[in-house]
Amino acid sequence: MTFKERAKELVAKMTLQEKLSQMRYDAPAIPRLGIPGYNWWNECLHGVARSGSATVFPQAIAMAASFDSELMERIGDAVSTEGRAKFNEYRKFGDTGIYQGINFFAPNINIFRDPRWGRGHETYGEDPCLTGRMAAGFVRGLQGKGKYRKADATLKHFAVHSGPENLRHGFDVNPSERDLRETYLWAFRYCIKHCEPSCVMGAYNRVYGEPCCGSPFLLEKTLREEFGFDGYVVSDCGAVCDFNENHGVTANAAESAALAVNSGCDLNCGSAYQWLKTSVALGLLSEEKVTRAVERLFEARIRLGMFDSDCEYDSIPYDVIECPEHLALSRKAAADSVVLLKNDGILPLDPKCRIAVIGPNADDRSVLTANYAGTPSEYVTVLEGIREAAGRRVYSSKGCHSFLMPGQYDENITRDAIITAAGADVVVMVMGLNPSMEGEQGDARNSGLDGDRADIELPQSQKYLFEEIMKLGKPVVFVNISGSAVALGEQDKRCAAVVQCFYPGAQGGRALADVLFGKVSPSGRLPVTFYASSADLPPFEDYSMENRTYRYFTGTPVYPFGHGLTYSEIREEWLDAERVVLENVGKTDTAYSVLRFENRPERRLVGFRKVFLKAGEKLTVDVPDDTAE
């Protein structure tokens, strides 16, 4: 029997009440049928999250900067290996609790349309092709290629969802047909076609007046009929309650639950589906629709091998957690995600020179792990990584608070930073943002913005420290750590080198040191546009793509999408639309991502490929059109 047939047979043995109970994310056991309790809610955005020890890989936006979908597949495989190892132990308790299962609510493939969106660092950037390719690699690695699924991946958030965070529970989005198809839905369609994700999560907002988790247009007509999706749909957590509490499209919770199930939302993350019995009793929901949803859910559980004794993943041992291979992969991914934006020749650094490491992000652990992260057994901050590489000739000072200017009676450490920098040959300034300044509603602690940013400027405290250090006349390597674009016009003009390091994971300090000291040639490219100022941005609430992202922006950015330097020089000679000759005419071996753009009618990425070229090497590379139907 197929997985689908087995699910149909098992569900046929359930009473209506038993079926309804299985549509909650915290599904209880059905002992008479040998079904253990199972909690569907787990996270693995960049490593197994919220479940104790785990390898913490770079944040999603950092991995996107690698422009390496094969690396993404390796990372997905490592993540699901650790997830399975944990699940194998947790299930010995007889059931699983929250963050203990193998149905993961990742990846986030929304388009990072505006750098002020606090959750943008959870995504793969502003381009649909890059997002689709990177997500598909992660999904393939996560789900595996065996008889059973290794884990379930969830594409989120469907659809047209990218802030503002404080409006997400009641916001209605009305994009143009072109923007909907070419920007907001493109990566979902690509992934469904190329990697068969198990699950899709609906978003909080409305689209064309319909709440996303209760939208026949999105869930039935678009996702299932048009895109051919054959998995299950889960609501974002609490989204169904929003139907009556915030959107005002239903009168009460029973109507909300019925609307969601009738529209194709099979599983509820939240509390709304406790009202399903009432929905059925009032005639708002048929048992046929309930059965359809539960069959999809049990097909997924059976496909994961939960009811069989021959699942190839049941023997994965717990000692794969943070094993040397996974830590090495995390370090490589972090190094590959570092983007060299400017270099006047000062990089790579001479480890024998005296180096002052200045700035609030230099020794901050939070910028390593970002959000939705596990707990690493070792954190290597930027300062620690540089000290490992250069030894005693490294001096440091925090210099300022991340975003607050000192009060009259507060410690003022700016002068300490000036003294430290004055005695150095080179100053490495490590500034930018941290996850308390950008994130999801309820997580970030920025006042009044619920995780979003008011602008794209560096905080005033950091601007002040930057000016004071620049007065010394020392060569400065400016390292910006952030999950989103920051206005770096002054740094581009005045610093010897500028480096973008997106939240790099637990091994991030070592990886950045690998790049700064030349052990690894940088090969990252920007997955988002770095604008000159907030004045370049349309209103945040406007979902039109006009003048947004590199495809439609009419101004001049400080650093464009796809920008990134290496320590060598790579020449490209395109033979035709698909084939390119790459030649490393420099003296340094380096990885390199070749990007294929076409005008349709605006410039857009249609393909990319990452290769490695030794000094003097020449390669002919095929870069197919990944956007072709």
Side-chain angles (χ1 to χ4, degrees):
M1 288 174 40
T2 65
F3 295 124
K4 193 180 292 290
E5 290 168 342
R6 289 177 60 188
K8 186 179 290 288
E9 181 179 77
L10 179 59
V11 173
K13 298 175 182 178
M14 297 181 190
T15 66
L16 173 61
Q17 185 58 40
E18 287 171 337
K19 292 176 192 175
L20 296 177
S21 74
Q22 298 303 300
M23 297 171 69
R24 296 165 24 193
Y25 78 95
D26 52 345
I30 307 178
R32 72 179 187 88
L33 296 178
I35 298 172
Y38 184 70
N39 196 301
W40 291 76
W41 186 352
N42 207 348
E43 304 284 354
C44 74
L45 182 64
H46 54 118
V48 179
R50 301 175 177 177
S51 190
S53 301
T55 303
V56 178
F57 291 90
Q59 176 63 302
I61 193 69
M63 294 190 287
S66 74
F67 278 76
D68 190 342
S69 56
E70 293 179 3
L71 176 66
M72 283 301 303
E73 185 166 348
R74 291 172 59 194
I75 291 170
D77 179 58
V79 171
S80 59
T81 293
E82 295 196 7
R84 268 286 179 171
K86 287 181 173 290
F87 175 68
N88 291 342
E89 297 301 318
Y90 289 136
R91 69 191 303 193
K92 292 176 182 178
F93 290 87
D95 59 11
T96 60
I98 192 169
Y99 311 132
Q100 296 178 0
I102 44 177
N103 300 84
F104 292 105
F105 293 171
N108 183 341
I109 63 170
N110 294 129
I111 295 301
F112 197 178
R113 67 182 175 91
D114 191 302
R116 292 168 291 195
W117 184 35
R119 297 190 72 179
H121 56 93
E122 298 177 25
T123 77
Y124 299 118
E126 69 183 33
D127 181 76
C129 177
L130 175 63
T131 298
R133 281 276 307 276
M134 299 300 280
F138 186 70
V139 170
R140 279 192 292 268
L142 203 65
Q143 297 191 160
K145 301 175 182 177
K147 172 184 175 183
Y148 297 98
R149 281 220 170 111
K150 194 176 178 189
D152 274 5
T154 302
L155 305 182
K156 65 182 188 183
H157 309 83
F158 195 72
V160 200
H161 179 82
S162 55
E165 285 292 290
N166 58 10
L167 299 179
R168 65 182 184 169
H169 294 284
F171 195 50
D172 186 23
V173 188
N174 291 273
S176 70
E177 179 74 10
R178 184 187 183 196
D179 288 344
L180 179 71
R181 298 292 172 180
E182 295 184 5
T183 297
Y184 295 116
L185 297 184
W186 195 94
F188 286 95
R189 183 171 187 170
Y190 180 90
C191 287
I192 290 165
K193 178 179 179 181
H194 291 277
C195 62
E196 299 183 353
S198 304
C199 180
V200 169
M201 174 182 280
Y204 286 117
N205 52 281
R206 280 173 286 155
V207 173
Y208 303 140
E210 295 181 351
C212 293
C213 295
S215 170
F217 167 71
L218 285 177
L219 301 184
E220 292 293 344
K221 182 177 183 297
T222 305
L223 185 64
R224 294 198 182 279
E225 294 176 16
E226 183 180 343
F227 293 178
F229 177 66
D230 192 38
Y232 58 98
V233 173
V234 62
S235 73
D236 205 341
C237 301
V240 178
C241 292
D242 285 337
F243 293 5
N244 56 288
E245 294 178 2
N246 294 299
H247 293 300
V249 298
T250 55
N252 53 54
E255 287 187 9
S256 297
L259 175 59
V261 178
N262 285 327
S263 300
C265 184
D266 308 301
L267 180 67
N268 177 219
C269 184
S271 60
Y273 279 15
Q274 66 182 327
W275 294 94
L276 285 177
K277 186 176 181 179
T278 303
S279 304
V280 174
L282 292 174
L284 302 173
L285 176 65
S286 69
E287 185 169 0
E288 179 184 6
K289 291 290 181 67
V290 171
T291 300
R292 178 191 67 177
V294 180
E295 285 176 353
R296 288 172 181 159
L297 297 176
F298 274 88
E299 180 185 353
R301 289 184 67 175
I302 294 168
R303 191 182 295 275
L304 286 163
M306 292 185 185
F307 299 98
D308 296 337
S309 60
D310 64 339
C311 180
E312 60 263 49
Y313 306 118
D314 287 348
S315 59
I316 295 176
Y318 202 77
D319 60 10
V320 301
I321 307 297
E322 290 190 293
C323 63
E325 292 79 9
H326 292 176
L327 293 177
L329 181 61
S330 179
R331 182 172 177 172
K332 172 182 170 50
D336 286 359
S337 72
V338 173
V339 187
L340 180 60
L341 299 175
K342 175 187 176 181
N343 185 21
D344 70 357
I346 194 172
L347 295 178
L349 291 173
D350 180 354
K352 296 180 181 179
C353 69
R354 292 171 297 175
I355 302 170
V357 182
I358 306 294
N361 281 352
D363 204 30
D364 183 354
R365 288 183 170 185
S366 76
V367 301
L368 301 177
T369 56
N371 68 354
Y372 284 97
T375 303
S377 59
E378 179 187 42
Y379 298 80
V380 185
T381 66
V382 171
L383 176 60
E384 290 167 340
I386 292 175
R387 278 193 170 143
E388 276 188 17
R392 295 183 178 180
R393 299 173 71 84
V394 175
Y395 311 92
S396 68
S397 176
K398 184 175 180 179
C400 69
H401 187 276
S402 295
F403 53 88
L404 296 176
M405 294 294 288
Q408 182 179 358
Y409 300 109
D410 293 330
E411 178 186 22
N412 189 331
I413 51 179
T414 301
R415 287 183 176 178
D416 175 65
I418 294 170
I419 294 168
T420 302
D425 300 315
V426 176
V427 179
V428 178
M429 296 200 74
V430 190
M431 294 189 169
L433 309 176
N434 66 46
S436 76
M437 300 159 69
E438 55 177 349
E440 186 173 3
Q441 183 183 50
D443 287 344
R445 298 186 294 275
N446 52 351
S447 176
L449 295 172
D450 287 321
D452 294 328
R453 298 160 59 201
D455 54 52
I456 63 171
E457 303 296 319
L458 279 173
Q460 191 60 40
S461 58
Q462 297 185 43
K463 286 185 176 181
Y464 176 75
L465 176 61
F466 175 76
E467 292 297 334
E468 292 301 301
I469 297 298
M470 293 306 296
K471 290 177 183 177
L472 298 174
K474 299 285 184 176
V476 171
V477 175
F478 191 90
V479 178
N480 185 70
I481 301 182
S482 66
S484 55
V486 173
L488 298 178
E490 286 300 307
Q491 288 70 32
D492 181 66
K493 292 176 185 175
R494 300 164 64 186
C495 294
V498 181
V499 176
Q500 173 63 28
C501 182
F502 296 100
Y503 301 136
Q507 294 292 309
R510 290 193 178 109
L512 181 61
D514 288 341
V515 172
L516 293 179
F517 292 103
K519 184 176 181 180
V520 175
S521 172
S523 62
R525 290 180 179 268
L526 289 180
V528 290
T529 300
F530 272 51
Y531 302 94
S533 76
S534 302
D536 289 334
L537 305 175
F540 190 11
E541 297 82 0
D542 182 3
Y543 266 72
S544 167
M545 291 306 296
E546 184 179 355
N547 210 32
R548 289 193 183 279
T549 76
Y550 79 97
R551 293 187 298 155
Y552 304 105
F553 183 53
T554 58
T556 303
V558 177
Y559 302 114
F561 171 90
H563 177 66
L565 308 174
T566 73
Y567 289 153
S568 198
E569 181 183 351
I570 308 299
R571 290 180 182 169
E572 296 183 11
E573 180 185 354
W574 287 85
L575 303 177
D576 51 38
E578 184 168 316
R579 292 184 304 152
V580 59
V581 176
L582 304 176
E583 184 177 7
N584 186 345
V585 298
K587 299 179 180 180
T588 305
D589 300 346
T590 188
Y592 183 79
S593 291
V594 57
L595 313 185
R596 176 180 171 185
F597 291 94
E598 292 187 4
N599 296 321
R600 300 184 177 181
E602 67 285 324
R603 186 170 182 260
R604 63 178 58 192
L605 183 72
V606 299
F608 58 91
R609 185 174 172 187
K610 190 136 192 179
V611 296
F612 189 87
L613 296 102
K614 294 182 178 180
E617 185 176 8
K618 181 185 289 189
L619 291 175
T620 300
V621 177
D622 291 332
V623 187
D625 181 358
D626 290 311
T627 66
E629 292 293 332

